[in-house]
Amino acid sequence: LVALHLAKVNDSNDARLKCGREMIEKLEKWSNNAMHVFGNKSLLLQAEYSASLGEHSKAQLLYQSSIKAAKDHGNIHELALAHELLGNHLCATNGRGLDSDECFRKACMYYEQWGAKVLSERLMHKYNLKRPGTSKEIQLGSSKHQRHES
């Protein structure tokens, strides 16, 4: 992820793109044996790779697929990260708006459910988001996760 992020920031650095492509190939192989562990990671890397190449529509679909896979398999921390990266992508391609803010809000919610309150607060501060006032229960894969407000 870091190599692909840096490739986006530095106008598609070839060495970083190559590193990202190699990791995608590894994750695709690993996904064949453990889709529940590596499937959403592979999709998220593919999304970042596509975004690095300027393939924005493809990237958005891959981010959404990664979100679905993370949710289906109960990978709450990766669900948060995928929402955050989709929000970043939407900001970069369309400017900040309702869609990107919704992604950031969901990222905050999932980070908090995972116990990463600092990550949630960082996003809320960076994008001037308000903390939701209610407790929500969501269904992830086969297990329930509850978010508690303090």
Side-chain angles (χ1 to χ4, degrees):
L1 272 175
V2 172
L4 293 173
H5 172 74
L6 291 172
K8 282 192 300 188
V9 172
N10 296 320
D11 296 326
S12 300
N13 181 299
D14 289 338
R16 290 187 174 119
L17 286 173
K18 182 180 179 205
C19 177
R21 185 75 234 157
E22 289 170 356
M23 186 49 70
I24 289 168
E25 290 169 6
K26 285 181 185 180
L27 283 172
E28 286 175 340
K29 288 179 188 175
W30 298 344
S31 294
N32 292 331
N33 294 321
M35 180 61 76
H36 63 287
V37 176
F38 298 108
N40 68 292
K41 291 173 182 65
S42 175
L43 291 164
L44 191 56
L45 280 178
Q46 290 175 56
E48 287 286 288
Y49 185 81
S50 294
S52 296
L53 296 176
E55 300 170 345
H56 301 298
S57 295
K58 181 178 180 182
Q60 188 167 341
L61 291 173
L62 287 163
Y63 285 117
Q64 291 167 340
S65 295
S66 177
I67 287 168
K68 182 181 181 327
K71 188 172 185 178
D72 289 349
H73 294 113
N75 297 325
I76 194 165
H77 58 294
E78 293 177 13
L79 184 57
L81 178 60
H83 274 290
E84 180 179 357
L85 292 178
L86 175 56
N88 289 340
H89 177 73
L90 292 171
C91 279
T93 56
N94 306 326
R96 185 165 171 212
L98 295 176
D99 290 340
S100 60
D101 280 4
E102 182 62 20
C103 288
F104 295 134
R105 279 189 202 90
K106 287 181 179 181
C108 289
M109 179 182 72
Y110 294 126
Y111 279 136
E112 287 198 17
Q113 288 177 359
W114 183 46
K117 190 172 182 177
V118 171
L119 292 175
S120 174
E121 288 173 353
R122 176 186 55 85
L123 278 180
M124 285 189 289
H125 178 73
K126 182 176 181 179
Y127 294 105
N128 197 27
L129 301 171
K130 297 200 185 326
R131 180 179 300 280
T134 61
S135 176
K136 278 189 175 179
E137 197 171 85
I138 59 162
Q139 188 73 33
L140 286 175
S142 60
S143 61
K144 284 186 177 179
H145 297 270
Q146 176 127 10
R147 185 183 95 212
H148 298 281
E149 296 300 324
S150 48

